[in-house]
Amino acid sequence: MLTRLAPENEAELTDLLERCHAAARDNSVPGKDSLPEGFSGTIGHFPVYFPEEIAHAGGLLPVNILGGGNKLELKHADARMGSFVCSICRSTTELGLNGTLQDLTGFVTHPICDAAKHLAGIWSRNLPEQLAQILYLPQNVNSRGATRYIAAEYQRLRADLERKVGHVISDEALRRSIRIYNENRRLLRELYAIRRDEPWKVSCAESYLLMRAGTRMPREEHNAILDQAIDLIRHRSLPAQDKPRVVFLGGFCEQPPLEMLETIDDACFVVDDDLLVGLRWFTQDVPESGDPVWALAESFVERSAASPVQHDERKTKEGYLMEMMRSSKADAAILTAAKFCEPGLDEQLAWSKHLDQAGIQYLVLEFEEKMTSFEQMAMQVETFAESLLFALA
Amino acid sequence: MTTEILEAAPAGTVAAADFDPRVEGQRLIKDWYAGLAEAPRRGQHVANVFVMGNAVEILRAFDFQLVFPEINSLQTGVRKASGEYIRLSEDYGMSPDVCSYVKADVGLMLKENEHPVGRIPKAHLAIASNMCSTFIKWAEIWERWLKVPTFVLDLPGQRATNWRVRPGDAQHAADSRWVEAQFRDLIEKCEKITGKRFDIDRLAEVEERVNQMVFHWNNVMALNRMCPAPYNAMLDGLTYIGIMNVYRGAPEGVEFMRRLERQLKAKVARGEGRVAEERFRLLFSGTPCYVSMRRLVELFETWGGVFAYSDYLTFAAGGMDAGELVYDTSRPLESLAEITALAAQRGLSNQFFAHERLEQQIRDYAVDGIVFHGIKSCRFVSSGMADTRDYLNKRLAVPSLYIESDLIDPRYWSDAQIKNRVDAFFEALNQRGVPPPGDRKTIAAEAGRAA
Ligand code: SF4
């Protein structure tokens, strides 16, 4: 259930959110005839982070491959991937095998976990005409050669994409894309600042829909949507409600169903989260001058967020949870993990033990993108919120 | 090429008949654990390392004693104690869906490092590579609980299908540069921890011994192309690879591998196989189930089925089973980086683009069938298995069997179910018929030459 809107802006914001919701429900990718202007193909990429600027500059529309949601029926993937693998990997395989993603020019996955790495092999065996690969983003960003290595890996990707599109991806085009993406990240930071400062104005589910829309449309277009939406949200005049402030963790890869976020919104203000954190991976602008590939590589090392699937000596997992809670003035945390997601489950336990020690309340939830029943979860969240309000009173 | 028997093995002095690899392997593992238990008293530095991507050469140059937590965990399985360690970790809150090796290790921590073989010392340093992503999450647990400084060694793997990296080409140079930069940082870290200066000559010495071990190891692998196969890759092979890992770069390791090769060569010369009558040559893809490995192998061997090759022997030795993986000891550090980058890609491609390697190995070892062993809690080996199997079924007329259990969690071993599947597999193989034993020798030998 989405938040009620102020009358003067209601229709416009509702329209925008409806557009975003439709985009989130659509698993297909545009074929040759329906590509947005200026694009000649699509690059699908798996979570968490992918340097979209490189594809965008080459005229390939970056599309985040985020699994199949809770409306997809698995007909082929069951026989190709064990039931012990997380849902997003299985449904992504299904979308590859059932033809939904057959128009992709390429598919890129990352060494975030072993299940995700296997997707490149599955892709190359079943969709051999697509460029299928693992972009080896490093798990060691603390050694001195990291930026240089990432830059080399990006240059390799750039050359592969150039061969696919048949033209050079110039530095100028890359700098232009970086500018567009910087603007996008700036707008997302603004959206999250509203969540933090005036959480009654925009719910987690709404913000998620607005953000998710960017995963399958040109960022120029997404910037326009965000710009308009943020303006409308700022002018909303909704009363602050008596709800506890919580952070939501566990949405860095497999996507929780929208209904789950709405369930949490009903009882809590979610003042920060790690949903689609790859879109907000850079905490500051990527430099817009100089060597653009170096700028992207260096930003990965020096100006990036954190996730359970990125090792970085400078950012312990407990450290970034506590920082998230501190900066968003959260009272408690909702610690989720996707079913069968080993890194997520490991982190969920570590976080909960840490919060036990710190005397901070939390709720542990396990989810699957394909879940359709939320009654029990609603009861858990409600009880949790009530106990928080009671404790805070 | 990769498993071709290399010429000019150094002459040995010990008669092949004096050597029982199983007994000798057990003795060496026992000695190693005894040495570990003594390490704190002797004031030795200890490092936790994994079997894939571990920079053991550098650690040995600093005299670190090596703890292999994967081997600790599998030993709880072999000694039928894993259930207790796993239960402890699940009671603590670990999910049933995560790696059972990690859970056994968490159980070990909860038991204050009391292991069935003795006390495991606390590490001063841990090295985790990205070869298996779980390594990193595992090392983060030590960081968190035991405050062990961790070094994550990032080893880029095969990026795409038909990925051809040759020593010295631009891609290899870029990857090697990255690995070398990390090794230089690791060396600094080791210097700080141990208070010792890095000695490049020590590194060269260790590398020389690794070269010798790899040389014999390649020959050992290649000997199993012979029909009958002199050893079972998933039983005897597990002892061999244990020594390859634990004693990598140590004199005892060189000696073991040298004697092993001689012993197996003598066996081949006598025409002696692992089983009395080898009827089926098989390839095992996946990891062992250490709680019931003997039983599993028995189910196959009673039908005359022998595992001539297993990809486990490739990836669980970090990919160090190719003839070209030889350190140039005149430039120890650069060469270590170059070979590590190649070996890591080899080890990783065995999993993430498994179809390419398996197609080759099926030919090299002239196998009649493949057995895929899926492990629910090990996504590294299991996530792509069913799809790989489907791909190979469609392209090659090699029969295959898929079975599922766990590395060490006894709850997932279902004897009757697995036996039924194995029996049905052999009945199907019998119906297909296999070449008569006389022809098999020729096939395996030709495959060896062609590779
Ligand atoms: S949900 Fe977890 S296990 Fe699945 S692909 Fe993402 S990180 Fe890997």
Side-chain angles (χ1 to χ4, degrees):
Chain A
M1 196 181 69
L2 302 176
T3 317
R4 194 170 52 77
L5 310 177
E8 66 273 23
N9 296 329
E10 199 163 325
E12 216 178 329
L13 195 48
T14 305
D15 269 3
L16 270 184
L17 287 167
E18 198 30 66
R19 252 176 84 190
C20 297
H21 198 176
R25 282 193 301 257
D26 184 7
N27 290 323
S28 67
V29 291
K32 276 260 173 251
D33 308 336
S34 48
L35 281 164
E37 209 188 315
F39 293 93
S40 63
T42 43
I43 286 292
H45 62 87
F46 201 70
V48 173
Y49 167 77
F50 173 73
E52 288 199 359
E53 287 90 334
I54 300 173
H56 182 268
L60 291 167
L61 179 69
V63 178
N64 291 227
I65 304 299
L66 296 169
N70 58 10
K71 307 278 184 294
L72 179 75
E73 195 191 331
L74 301 198
K75 291 191 176 139
H76 308 82
D78 268 343
R80 304 292 185 86
M81 248 192 172
S83 54
F84 47 82
V85 179
C86 63
S87 232
I88 185 174
C89 281
R90 284 157 56 80
S91 64
T92 297
T93 300
E94 178 71 25
L95 294 172
L97 296 175
N98 75 9
T100 307
L101 299 179
Q102 70 184 10
D103 286 328
L104 285 176
T105 310
F107 173 82
V108 182
T109 184
H110 312 281
I112 54 166
C113 71
D114 296 314
K117 281 182 259 183
H118 272 290
L119 289 174
I122 291 176
W123 228 257
S124 62
R125 287 189 287 273
N126 294 287
L127 296 140
E129 65 293 344
Q130 292 185 17
L131 178 91
Q133 56 175 261
I134 305 176
L135 180 71
Y136 259 91
L137 289 168
Q139 284 294 341
N140 175 1
V141 286
N142 309 110
S143 273
R144 279 161 290 187
T147 301
R148 187 175 175 191
Y149 162 72
I150 300 169
E153 188 63 357
Y154 286 176
Q155 293 291 14
R156 179 188 66 72
L157 174 74
R158 179 186 191 174
D160 284 349
L161 298 184
E162 285 176 343
R163 269 191 293 280
K164 246 345 200 189
V165 293
H167 62 79
V168 162
I169 301 174
S170 70
D171 280 2
E172 205 29 66
L174 270 166
R175 279 192 280 267
R176 182 181 159 270
S177 297
I178 288 174
R179 279 195 293 278
I180 292 167
Y181 275 79
N182 274 343
E183 173 66 3
N184 191 258
R185 287 182 284 258
R186 190 189 59 70
L187 288 164
L188 290 176
R189 284 199 290 272
E190 218 177 306
L191 181 64
Y192 271 71
I194 302 175
R195 296 258 308 275
R196 203 173 51 229
D197 300 337
E198 300 169 287
W200 52 91
K201 286 196 169 173
V202 57
S203 69
C204 176
E206 287 170 337
S207 129
Y208 174 73
L209 283 178
L210 285 168
M211 184 164 55
R212 184 161 171 164
T215 63
R216 46 188 50 249
M217 65 173 67
R219 279 299 197 281
E220 299 86 325
E221 208 181 304
H222 190 229
N223 285 348
I225 290 181
L226 285 178
D227 208 24
Q228 191 187 357
I230 288 171
D231 188 49
L232 292 167
I233 291 165
R234 282 207 187 287
H235 289 93
R236 260 173 162 178
S237 52
L238 296 174
Q241 292 161 282
D242 198 13
K243 293 184 193 175
R245 297 170 65 95
V246 300
V247 293
F248 175 100
L249 280 107
F252 58 93
C253 184
E254 182 165 323
Q255 301 301 292
L258 188 66
E259 297 90 327
M260 174 171 167
L261 300 181
E262 289 170 344
T263 301
I264 297 171
D265 281 332
D266 285 345
C268 306
F269 286 132
V270 182
V271 286
D272 204 351
D273 61 57
D274 64 354
L275 294 158
L276 295 172
V277 67
L279 300 190
R280 302 173 280 131
W281 195 244
F282 297 135
T283 49
Q284 295 161 38
D285 284 354
V286 176
E288 294 175 3
S289 56
D291 178 349
V293 168
W294 187 268
L296 286 167
E298 194 210 14
S299 297
F300 187 87
V301 174
E302 301 297 345
R303 288 177 274 279
S304 52
S307 89
V309 288
Q310 178 63 52
H311 186 83
D312 187 338
E313 280 171 10
R314 298 163 299 184
K315 304 168 199 161
T316 65
K317 310 296 189 273
E318 291 83 352
Y320 83 74
L321 163 66
M322 295 311 282
E323 175 52 28
M324 193 189 230
M325 293 195 69
R326 191 198 57 75
S327 60
S328 62
K329 300 190 186 73
D331 307 312
I334 296 188
L335 307 175
T336 76
K339 199 167 165 54
F340 301 119
C341 169
E342 179 146 11
L345 289 163
D346 286 344
E347 227 49 78
Q348 190 182 43
L349 177 63
W351 279 328
S352 61
K353 297 285 178 191
H354 182 78
L355 293 182
D356 278 340
Q357 276 178 5
I360 295 173
Q361 294 207 53
Y362 60 89
L363 174 66
V364 166
L365 297 175
E366 195 175 80
F367 72 87
E368 257 190 304
E369 59 169 19
K370 63 182 184 198
M371 57 193 282
T372 50
S373 164
F374 302 91
E375 288 80 16
Q376 206 191 336
M377 191 177 273
M379 270 165 53
Q380 274 178 283
V381 176
E382 230 169 85
T383 312
F384 175 63
E386 273 166 20
S387 74
L388 280 174
L389 285 178
F390 183 74
L392 295 168
Chain B
M1 173 62 199
T2 54
T3 48
E4 188 180 346
I5 297 186
L6 305 171
E7 294 304 326
T13 50
V14 182
D18 297 343
F19 181 71
D20 180 338
R22 200 172 69 89
V23 172
E24 186 60 12
Q26 281 174 350
R27 185 186 67 77
L28 285 173
I29 295 290
K30 213 168 136 213
D31 287 355
W32 165 59
Y33 272 118
L36 285 181
E38 285 292 297
R41 198 184 53 77
R42 292 182 184 148
Q44 291 170 319
H45 287 96
V46 174
N48 279 2
V49 292
F50 295 101
V51 297
M52 298 190 294
N54 49 24
V56 154
E57 290 79 352
I58 291 175
L59 298 175
R60 280 212 193 278
F62 279 98
D63 291 320
F64 273 97
Q65 296 298 301
L66 305 176
V67 170
F68 286 83
E70 289 156 296
I71 298 180
N72 293 344
S73 291
L74 77 84
Q75 285 291 339
T76 65
V78 171
R79 285 152 207 273
K80 313 284 182 215
S82 49
E84 184 197 347
Y85 287 81
I86 291 172
R87 186 182 44 73
L88 272 175
S89 71
E90 288 183 0
D91 288 350
Y92 173 77
M94 293 206 74
S95 163
D97 298 322
V98 305
C99 171
S100 48
Y101 273 5
V102 179
K103 284 192 289 192
D105 190 55
V106 167
L108 181 67
M109 285 189 256
L110 291 165
K111 277 172 85 80
E112 313 235 311
N113 279 14
E114 276 310 327
H115 189 277
V117 298
R119 202 174 175 78
I120 308 297
K122 180 178 174 283
H124 301 88
L125 171 67
I127 313 251
S129 79
N130 61 334
M131 289 185 73
C132 161
S133 298
T134 297
F135 290 168
I136 301 172
K137 302 308 293 176
W138 195 343
E140 286 174 354
I141 298 176
W142 303 324
E143 260 184 334
R144 191 173 283 136
W145 284 37
L146 308 171
K147 311 287 171 236
V148 178
T150 296
F151 188 89
V152 171
L153 179 60
D154 185 74
L155 301 172
Q158 176 172 351
R159 315 303 205 276
T161 196
N162 293 321
W163 179 254
R164 299 276 172 268
V165 174
R166 286 183 187 82
D169 70 14
Q171 185 65 57
H172 180 234
D175 290 349
S176 304
R177 231 186 356 250
W178 168 225
V179 177
E180 190 184 324
Q182 295 177 81
F183 282 160
R184 288 187 189 279
D185 281 352
L186 174 62
I187 287 169
E188 269 182 30
K189 204 164 190 150
C190 291
E191 286 185 327
K192 272 198 199 109
I193 291 170
T194 62
K196 289 183 189 166
R197 295 273 305 162
F198 173 58
D199 179 349
I200 197 141
D201 296 330
R202 286 288 314 278
L203 178 64
E205 274 168 34
V206 175
E207 288 183 356
E208 180 49 42
R209 289 196 284 268
V210 174
N211 281 346
Q212 290 176 42
M213 284 181 81
V214 169
F215 172 89
H216 295 300
W217 177 235
N218 277 289
N219 287 344
V220 165
M221 300 273 279
L223 283 166
N224 239 23
R225 290 181 180 187
M226 298 299 155
C227 180
Y231 64 91
N232 194 316
M234 278 320 267
L235 198 62
D236 315 291
L238 301 183
T239 302
Y240 310 162
I241 199 171
I243 303 302
M244 269 301 285
N245 281 317
V246 171
Y247 283 92
R248 175 160 156 171
E252 299 92 325
V254 179
E255 185 61 4
F256 179 91
M257 297 314 291
R258 187 180 66 73
R259 295 173 77 185
L260 174 65
E261 184 190 338
R262 281 173 57 99
Q263 191 251 4
L264 292 173
K265 265 188 175 157
K267 234 177 142 179
V268 168
R270 294 194 299 273
E272 203 181 297
R274 156 77 198 183
V275 290
E277 192 199 347
E278 178 177 302
R279 297 197 55 237
F280 303 102
R281 297 173 62 77
L282 302 169
L283 190 158
F284 187 99
S285 180
T287 53
C289 48
Y290 280 102
V291 271
S292 306
M293 204 58 213
R294 236 164 232 293
R295 170 68 179 148
L296 183 66
V297 165
E298 179 189 288
L299 291 177
F300 286 88
E301 289 192 344
T302 49
W303 287 87
V306 163
F307 294 117
Y309 173 76
S310 168
D311 53 7
Y312 186 67
L313 300 189
T314 294
F315 69 78
M320 290 294 278
D321 65 334
E324 66 268 28
L325 298 177
V326 179
Y327 296 124
D328 174 355
T329 53
S330 68
R331 22 194 298 284
L333 193 58
E334 296 80 358
S335 179
L336 181 67
E338 289 158 11
I339 298 297
T340 302
L342 287 174
Q345 295 204 1
R346 200 178 145 72
L348 286 166
S349 58
N350 246 288
Q351 287 310 314
F352 302 123
F353 298 90
H355 57 291
E356 295 178 352
R357 293 259 179 236
L358 288 175
E359 272 191 77
Q360 182 64 40
Q361 287 146 353
I362 287 165
R363 283 193 291 272
D364 287 355
Y365 288 84
V367 297
D368 304 304
I370 314 178
V371 177
F372 291 96
H373 180 223
I375 301 281
K376 282 184 197 231
S377 71
C378 179
R379 278 94 187 164
F380 173 73
V381 296
S382 310
S383 304
M385 210 173 243
D387 187 62
T388 302
R389 183 182 178 214
D390 178 86
Y391 177 90
L392 293 176
N393 277 349
K394 284 179 185 149
R395 289 175 56 108
L396 312 170
V398 181
S400 64
L401 168 70
Y402 180 84
I403 48 173
E404 220 170 69
S405 73
D406 192 74
L407 286 155
I408 50 166
D409 191 334
R411 293 171 297 186
Y412 294 101
W413 175 262
S414 163
D415 197 83
Q417 200 184 23
I418 292 177
K419 183 176 184 313
N420 281 343
R421 296 185 65 109
V422 171
D423 289 348
F425 176 60
F426 279 110
E427 273 154 20
L429 278 180
N430 263 335
Q431 273 173 14
R432 269 171 74 100
V434 286
D439 291 356
R440 303 298 294 273
K441 202 165 200 154
T442 329
I443 294 168
E446 272 171 7
R449 270 198 296 280

